[in-house]
Structures are given as structure tokens and as C-alpha cells.
Amino acid sequence: NAGVTQTPKFQVLKTGQSMTLQCAQDMNHNSMYWYRQDPGMGLRLIYYSASEGTTDKGEVPNGYNVSRLNKREFSLRLESAAPSQTSVYFCASREALQSYNEQFFGPGTRLTVL
Amino acid sequence: GDSVTQMEGPVTLSEEAFLTINCTYTATGYPSLFWYVQYPGEGLQLLLKATKADDKGSNKGFEATYRKETTSFHLEKGSVQVSDSAVYFCALTPRAGGTSYGKLTFGQGTILTVHP
């Protein structure tokens, strides 16, 4: 039982390049989330998926797209990377959109955009 | 909107000292409250949670009590260890309804360093 896995762990991009961050969970969770973590700002929600086939914008969606490929996988795409997207990205999952359930987090992807 | 405010860090303590990290929140109704911990180079792990007023969450010697009257969820530990050095995040999830249902709102995090 691996929990939430993310690939890659580290990535360096040049401005304007594109890439996709991969996330998978093996806990049969319905809801999945993408966050970015920046110094002094905690974690901010980029996009989330309440269930397979649905996605919604979070607090900071500009410059990103997501795909809920199936129940297990939720990917985050940067179409044209910018230096402002340098951050640590975390994927998370939760059993369902119910208030008492915690979210389970992956180990993160550290992205640098030059 | 919902928000979480944590005490400013970093916090530096000697081993076996008492720890308090303050957390206050603003939310409609009765949110669920969480403390997450992030060890260096790792993702976030749930430390403890409370889902209704006066609930006390506890784990690994850490405790926090859901205080609705003061909208607070302060984290405490009686005797910290070097291995407790990490970043601690307070977070909330609102109850059902509204556009923020199901989402976690985080505080900015508090860095804790414990010296031998």
C-alpha cells in the first residue's frame, strides 16, 4: 500500500517549456487535489477533483490544467512554464468530500523554472 | 472566506521544553480542524484532528482542543524531542455546503527546531 505517489521528485524547466506532473493513489479515494507550497504562504489549492470525471478550480488555477484520468490518477499540466511557478507541488487524496476526513499527501515535486 | 492564522515562527526550543503553537481560524459554522506535520524533504502527514467543539485531538504526545468560543486550535506538547523538529500546519475544512466544501485551508506553517 503505497498511499499517494508523485513523479517526478525534482524537475528543472526553462521558461515556456511544458510538463505534466503525475499523481496516483491506491486507497480507492474519490477526491484528489493539487497544491503548491511557497515559503511563508502555506499550501494553496490549485485544482481539485471531487470524483472521477469532475474537476474544479481552486485558489490559484491560472497557468495550470488538470486531468482526472481515472479514479486512481490525477495529473497537473503546465503548458508554458513561468518563473512564478517555481514551487513545491503536492498531490493529495481524500476518501470523499466529507468534512471529517483528512487528506493524504504525496511526497511532493520540487519544480524550478529558469 | 475561511482563513487560518498561526503564530509566527520559527520556534526554537531545547529538548524537553513545553511547546505551544497558536492557531486561530475564521470560518462559517463548525469546521473540522487539523494539525499536519511536514518533516524535512517529505510531504505532509496528519498529526491530529478534531471534528466538533470541545473535541481534543491527540497523537505522539501532541494535543489540541477545538475551542469554538475562541475559534482556536492550539497545538501543545509537554516535552519536545529533537525528532519533533519539523514544520507544523494548522488547517480547516468547512462543513457541507458552499463552494469551499471539502477543501483544506492552511495556515502559513510554523517551523519548529528542537536542540539537544
Side-chain angles (χ1 to χ4, degrees):
Chain A
N1 191 341
V4 180
T5 57
Q6 292 182 237
T7 56
K9 285 194 171 183
F10 302 93
Q11 184 71 48
V12 179
L13 293 177
K14 294 180 179 178
T15 297
Q17 287 185 316
S18 62
M19 79 161 295
T20 300
L21 281 64
Q22 306 287 351
C23 173
Q25 52 90 9
D26 62 2
M27 296 174 283
N28 201 35
H29 286 173
N30 288 302
S31 302
M32 297 185 74
Y33 307 81
W34 276 106
Y35 294 89
R36 60 178 289 171
Q37 183 180 26
D38 301 295
M41 302 188 73
L43 276 77
R44 293 181 292 169
L45 183 65
I46 305 171
Y47 270 93
Y48 71 103
S49 171
S51 60
E52 186 179 355
T54 69
T55 61
D56 285 286
K57 295 179 180 179
E59 184 183 354
V60 289
N62 291 344
Y64 306 95
N65 285 301
V66 291
S67 295
R68 183 74 182 267
L69 304 170
N70 47 57
K71 191 171 185 179
R72 289 187 64 249
E73 299 173 289
F74 188 40
S75 62
L76 177 71
R77 182 160 179 84
L78 287 70
E79 291 291 352
S80 179
S84 60
Q85 295 178 306
T86 294
S87 189
V88 182
Y89 291 85
F90 289 100
C91 178
S93 70
R94 171 188 278 176
E95 184 179 7
L97 281 184
Q98 295 167 348
S99 62
Y100 53 85
N101 288 346
E102 65 267 28
Q103 292 184 14
F104 294 82
F105 285 81
T109 294
R110 186 173 296 275
L111 175 65
T112 301
V113 183
L114 303 175
Chain B
D2 300 333
S3 66
V4 176
T5 303
Q6 290 181 233
M7 67 183 287
E8 293 285 334
V11 175
T12 302
L13 296 173
S14 298
E15 206 165 26
E16 299 184 2
F18 184 84
L19 168 70
T20 298
I21 301 177
N22 291 337
C23 171
T24 57
Y25 68 89
T26 302
T28 304
Y30 298 85
S32 291
L33 301 173
F34 306 88
W35 277 101
Y36 280 85
V37 59
Q38 184 180 30
Y39 298 103
E42 298 184 10
L44 278 72
Q45 305 174 24
L46 179 69
L47 181 60
L48 52 84
K49 66 181 180 184
T51 59
K52 60 183 187 294
D54 300 324
D55 265 2
K56 177 184 282 188
S58 61
N59 185 28
K60 298 181 181 179
F62 291 89
E63 293 183 341
T65 300
Y66 190 142
R67 301 286 188 199
K68 179 154 177 63
E69 63 276 12
T70 55
T71 62
S72 65
F73 192 54
H74 304 321
L75 182 68
E76 296 182 336
K77 186 174 186 182
S79 176
V80 294
Q81 305 299 313
V82 172
S83 57
D84 293 327
S85 297
V87 183
Y88 292 82
F89 292 93
C90 186
L92 69 81
T93 294
R95 292 291 179 177
T99 57
S100 58
Y101 178 43
K103 304 177 192 178
L104 269 177
T105 298
F106 286 89
Q108 72 271 35
T110 301
I111 299 171
L112 170 66
T113 302
V114 180
H115 294 296

